[in-house]
Amino acid sequence: MEKIRVALVDDQQLVRAGFAMVIGSQPDMEVVLEAGDGNQAVRLLPSYDVDVVLMDVRMPGLDGIAATQEVLAAPRPADRPVPRVVILTTFDLDEYVFSAIKAGASGFLLKDTPPDEMLAAIRTVHAGDAVIAPSSTRRLIEHVATSMPVADRTPAAVLDALTEREREVLVLIARGRTNSEIASDLFVAEATVKTHVGRILAKLGARDRVQIVVTAYETGLITPGL
């Protein structure tokens, strides 16, 4: 079994040790790198094969948002994967979430997330699917996307490029449905849903499902709580 390679970036050694213990207990995961701050992460990550980075948002020196942006923009060999970044946050840091999305983050976890949810989030983000599955993420996205100044939001006109079916799929994604659940809801094959998701990503110029969920809220296609 090919293991998911995880990097831990947090200035608290005890936090890193706790995450490393949980991740190391899984047969399909391994911690390949630990960094104590954003600057160290930026310096080391391009030299490692890493699939998923757990990145603390608040660190001395370079914070997690700036570090995420630099890590994802750094040049790397063609055979070295671009890691997916999961931001570690708390509810009192909601204001950072939108910036993290813009920086390239693919998901969010609360620092007190139960171990099984953390492991599920790593697997989910690594698979590139249903990155809004962790329970905290949808609430964070709802809050941030709808509280942004109107001038900073995505205009509703961007949705004009979507077909009616693609809009339906986008709404279901924004509600946290997985591809298999969407297929069941719409009575179509899961492969068909994947095709729709790919077209939505391309038409909206979005990197992943987190970005298209934010777009759904910003444009008013879906409202919080629905």
Side-chain angles (χ1 to χ4, degrees):
M1 179 188 297
E2 188 171 342
K3 294 189 176 185
I4 301 172
R5 297 160 296 192
V6 181
L8 304 176
V9 183
D10 195 298
D11 61 320
Q12 297 183 47
Q13 186 173 355
L14 283 176
V15 171
R16 297 199 312 271
F19 285 158
M21 183 176 64
V22 172
I23 292 168
S25 70
Q26 302 301 298
D28 61 337
M29 297 182 190
E30 61 178 335
V31 175
V32 296
L33 173 64
E34 292 188 31
D37 57 52
N39 285 313
Q40 190 178 27
V42 169
R43 186 171 67 254
L44 295 177
L45 274 166
S47 300
Y48 285 78
D49 287 330
V50 173
D51 299 307
V52 178
V53 181
L54 296 186
M55 178 83 74
D56 187 20
V57 73
R58 225 180 210 181
M59 294 180 290
L62 194 68
D63 67 30
I65 293 170
T68 294
Q69 194 165 22
E70 291 196 30
V71 164
L72 297 182
R76 66 190 67 240
D79 60 346
R80 181 160 290 147
V82 177
R84 290 182 172 269
V85 178
V86 176
I87 294 291
L88 299 173
T89 185
T90 57
F91 274 123
D92 62 340
L93 296 179
D94 280 354
E95 67 270 19
Y96 291 119
V97 176
F98 192 83
S99 296
I101 292 170
K102 295 298 187 183
S106 294
F108 307 92
L109 283 177
L110 299 180
K111 277 201 168 183
D112 59 355
T113 295
D116 58 335
E117 286 190 25
M118 179 188 72
L119 295 170
I122 292 171
R123 293 186 180 100
T124 297
V125 169
H126 177 249
D129 187 24
V131 290
I132 61 170
S135 60
S136 63
T137 305
R138 180 185 170 189
R139 285 175 288 176
L140 288 167
I141 291 176
E142 283 183 358
H143 171 78
V144 176
T146 56
S147 63
M148 287 298 294
V150 173
D152 293 339
R153 297 184 188 180
T154 303
V158 302
L159 300 179
D160 293 345
L162 303 182
T163 66
E164 191 61 33
R165 176 61 89 180
E166 287 165 354
R167 283 176 177 248
E168 286 183 90
V169 172
L170 176 52
V171 167
L172 291 171
I173 292 172
R175 289 174 176 163
R177 309 290 279 173
T178 65
N179 284 350
S180 61
E181 290 170 337
I182 293 172
S184 177
D185 292 340
L186 299 180
F187 303 102
V188 298
E190 187 172 348
T192 300
V193 175
K194 290 181 179 179
T195 298
H196 286 312
V197 173
R199 288 174 179 166
I200 293 169
L201 288 167
K203 288 181 178 181
L204 297 182
R207 180 189 61 257
D208 54 32
R209 291 168 79 111
V210 165
Q211 283 197 327
I212 62 177
V213 170
V214 171
T215 298
Y217 283 108
E218 285 185 322
T219 57
L221 181 63
I222 188 169
T223 55
L226 296 181

